Amino acid sequence: MSTLTIAIIVVFVLGYALIAMESLTKVNKAAVALLMFVFCWTLYMFDPAPFVQLMHPDFTGTGDKVVSFVNTLITEHLGDTATTLFFLMGAMTIVEIVDQNGGFNWVKNVMRSKTKRSLLWKIAFMTFFLSAILDNLTTSIVMVMILRKLVQDKHDRMIYASLVIIAANSGGAFSPIGDVTTIMLWNVGMITAGGVLSEIFIPSLVSMLIPAFLLQMLLKGNIQYDDMSSDMSGDREVLEFNGFQRKIVFAIGVGGLCSVPLFHFFTDLPPFAGILLVLGILWTVTEVFYRNLHKKRGDEIQFSKRVSSLLSRIDMSTILFFLGILMAVACLEEVGVLKELGSGLNTTFNGNHYAVTGIIGVLSAIVDNVPLVAGSMGMYPIGIEPDMAVDGIFWQLLAYCAGVGGSMLIVGSAAGVVVMGLEKITFGWYMKRITWIAFLGYIAGILSYWIMRTYIFTTPL
């Protein structure tokens, strides 16, 4: 391992440490993530040729051609990162539009509970199944918006929001369209929809139920209904559309989010294109509604819920944090650290798939699971060996571990990052109170999968 590689790893580790100590340093995590991104790639550019030869042996250029090639690599990684960022921004905006027009009031009424614990279980199951239909990122945004209407106490809401992260990641793991990593494995044929739904559902459910049971111990008492009723009256005061128009906004927004996987399936365009399509349609429809309102009330009337106004509510610090983290991880990928890590795991554990994928899941809480899964797909191609065949143990475990493992740290998944930004949950608070709970659920899910594949489904369905 070269000196530059070690330096890049040190910068990455120091950056993560500063992010973890945000509550102590008072330095915004987005600023640290951006510095990580730039410093890692700056070190890379001191001598990029060895890294290019290592990771791209087919490239034979020298001198300025190497620099040009590396810039192309950075642009490609930025493009991959941008697909996630635009998906996030689009989904956040759509949910904000629906929420500001009272679209989630009916969900709030359905989930109204007398006790805090009964609400926790409703949140857990709704998040779990909704994330399998939508995706864990979009589901987390929707559920946090609902929580803000249901729970006024900040501490309680942080506990509920933590469960949303766990349930969203668990629900996304058993669906071929619920998480980016399962989509990757499904698209290349390493898992099938039927296989992952039938054999990963129980482990995913277990990984959600155990944390939910433990987290309910932290909640006692009843929910204050006065707070909720006042919140509902507040919603009525700010609504600008009539009932029919609000239903149209809800149908386009939520229905559009649900149809994004179908859009991706039929067009082969990346999911963010579907999100932007839905946003464009919703924006156009609301502008038509406002045009009619201006005719009735006059052009001088200003409406605060227009999409152009709501765009200013997007949390750009979360977006920039995501940008910095993903681009820093891309640098680790380009210096060969992730590939060496995967090979080392395989050698150390002598091909034990439960151990290898289990460690990959833990690592996915530290670095982004997408490059980890991508690296694993490159290191472990589909083979004739049963465990490595389509729907083999390795691939199904990889789908589960990479998805659920991200719950162990708040920055370990897209769901965690967005909840962190929306609810201002610190890295340290989550690690101290939630990490061990998420880990117990993660291990229990792996154990349940082992029991199923050893004693029940000895061959893939």
Side-chain angles (χ1 to χ4, degrees), residues 120-121 124 155 158-167 170 203-219 400 404-410 429-446:
L120 178 137
W121 287 106
H155 179 265
M158 289 170 68
I159 295 173
Y160 287 120
S162 299
L163 179 60
V164 165
I165 296 172
I166 295 171
S170 296
S204 295
L205 185 62
V206 169
S207 71
M208 182 274 288
L209 290 176
I210 290 179
F213 178 77
L214 294 172
L215 285 173
Q216 77 166 354
M217 303 300 179
L218 303 177
L219 298 169
Y400 168 83
V404 177
S407 300
M408 285 183 276
L409 291 178
I410 197 167
W429 184 91
Y430 190 93
M431 188 173 185
K432 181 180 179 180
R433 293 170 175 81
I434 308 299
T435 293
W436 69 274
I437 294 176
F439 178 74
L440 288 179
Y442 173 72
I443 294 298
I446 294 177

Side-chain angles (χ1 to χ4, degrees), residues 122-171:
K122 289 182 179 180
I123 291 288
F125 281 104
M126 177 168 282
T127 304
F128 181 79
F129 288 106
L130 194 60
S131 66
I133 301 171
L134 302 177
D135 63 89
N136 49 15
L137 177 61
T138 306
T139 300
S140 299
I141 299 171
V142 172
M143 296 309 295
V144 168
M145 291 296 184
I146 294 172
L147 278 175
R148 286 180 174 178
K149 294 180 174 296
L150 288 171
V151 183
Q152 303 302 311
D153 183 84
K154 174 65 175 176
H155 179 265
D156 287 350
R157 198 163 69 242
M158 289 170 68
I159 295 173
Y160 287 120
S162 299
L163 179 60
V164 165
I165 296 172
I166 295 171
N169 288 332
S170 296

Side-chain angles (χ1 to χ4, degrees), residues 302-315:
Q302 297 296 320
F303 297 103
S304 61
K305 306 305 177 186
R306 296 188 88 127
V307 177
S308 54
S309 299
L310 296 180
L311 286 173
S312 63
R313 299 192 182 195
I314 299 301
D315 189 351

